[in-house]
């Protein structure tokens, strides 16, 4: 992994230690620490200041495909090809539990604060005191077997299970009850956790896989396997295309204030500067 100075593209740090592909990486809220997951089934925490790997979590039996940070980052969640989602204690570098074991690859995970109206159930046993910030949170799992699963992060109890048109690749929360999930056949489902049987809407712009979804201002940003990357505003009539990727898949999108970053199979990270929308 490489850490760049965003303002001028200068390479600042190289984080080396994973074997095989690194599938996902993100900063902790402090901005000084990085969480990564790889095909070596390892989850690692790094110092962005000196590039050292400070913690390695082992326990998954397959590659880690996505991660989520709980609150300020005392706990993190990982989803893996081994079909499990796990909760980890960063301070003790220990697994606090298997949150879900679904027998199908977990391609995407998201954690969000739940609206008060949503019943998250109660934990069957007393949560460990090492669990910090898991109460009143939902965990969303985008699964390879065409299922989108939501459960209480602390309770581990099911909230809903939704079956889509194809494998789910990614998911994100828009609010305490609205969420998005993208499929391999190009559908973006918007669901309301309070009545998840029927989607609020399905957005379909092309048949290319939806690879990344990110809540942004009043709407969201999506990227697809055909190189398209776009911002959708709340009313959906207003779409801004982020161009440049041609036909190569845009794997991931990230934002910081008015900057949007995309990473593409053509080996480029692109930075877009937004004026006031």
């Amino acid at each position: 992994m490489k850490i760049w100075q965003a303002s001028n593209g200068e390479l600042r740090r190289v984080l080396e230690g994973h074997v095989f592909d690194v599938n996902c990486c993100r900063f902790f809220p402090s901005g000084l620490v990085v969480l990564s997951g790889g095909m070596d089934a390892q989850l690692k925490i790094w110092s962005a200041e000196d590039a050292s790997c400070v913690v390695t979590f082992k326990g998954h039996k397959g590659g880690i495909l996505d991660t989520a940070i709980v609150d300020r980052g005392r706990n993190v969640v990982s989803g893996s090809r081994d079909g499990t989602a796990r909760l980890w204690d960063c301070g003790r570098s220990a697994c606090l539990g298997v949150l879900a074991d679904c027998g199908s690859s977990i391609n995407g995970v998201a954690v969000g604060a739940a609206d008060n109206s949503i019943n998250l159930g109660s934990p069957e046993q007393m949560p460990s005191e090492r669990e910090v910030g898991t109460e009143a949170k939902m965990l969303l799992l985008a699964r390879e077997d065409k299922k989108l699963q939501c459960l209480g992060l602390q309770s581990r109890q099911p909230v809903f299970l939704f079956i889509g048109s194809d494998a789910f690749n990614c998911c994100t929360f828009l609010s305490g009850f609205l969420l998005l999930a993208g499929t391999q056949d190009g559908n973006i489902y918007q669901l309301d956790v309070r009545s998840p049987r029927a989607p609020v809407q399905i957005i379909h712009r092309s048949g290319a896989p939806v690879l990344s979804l990110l809540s942004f201002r009043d709407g969201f940003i999506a990227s697809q396997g055909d190189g398209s990357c776009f911002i959708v505003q709340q009313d959906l009539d207003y779409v801004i295309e982020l161009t440049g990727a041609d036909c190569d898949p845009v794997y991931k999108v990230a934002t910081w204030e008015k900057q949007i970053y995309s990473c593409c199979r053509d080996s480029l990270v692109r930075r877009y500067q937004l004026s006031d929308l």
Side-chain angles (χ1 to χ4, degrees), residues 65-67 79 105-110 140-143 168-171:
L65 301 178
D66 200 10
T67 61
S105 182
I106 298 174
N107 297 324
V109 301
L140 194 58
L141 306 176
R143 295 169 30 173
F168 280 100
N169 291 330
C170 52
C171 55

Side-chain angles (χ1 to χ4, degrees), residues 108-120:
V109 301
V111 169
D115 186 78
N116 294 334
S117 61
I118 295 161
N119 178 14
L120 297 178

Side-chain angles (χ1 to χ4, degrees), residues 80 82-85 98 100-106 141-145 147 149 161:
S80 166
D82 66 12
T84 67
V98 175
D101 188 349
C102 46
S104 172
S105 182
I106 298 174
L141 306 176
R143 295 169 30 173
E144 184 69 23
D145 60 2
K147 291 174 182 165
Q149 180 179 0
L161 187 67

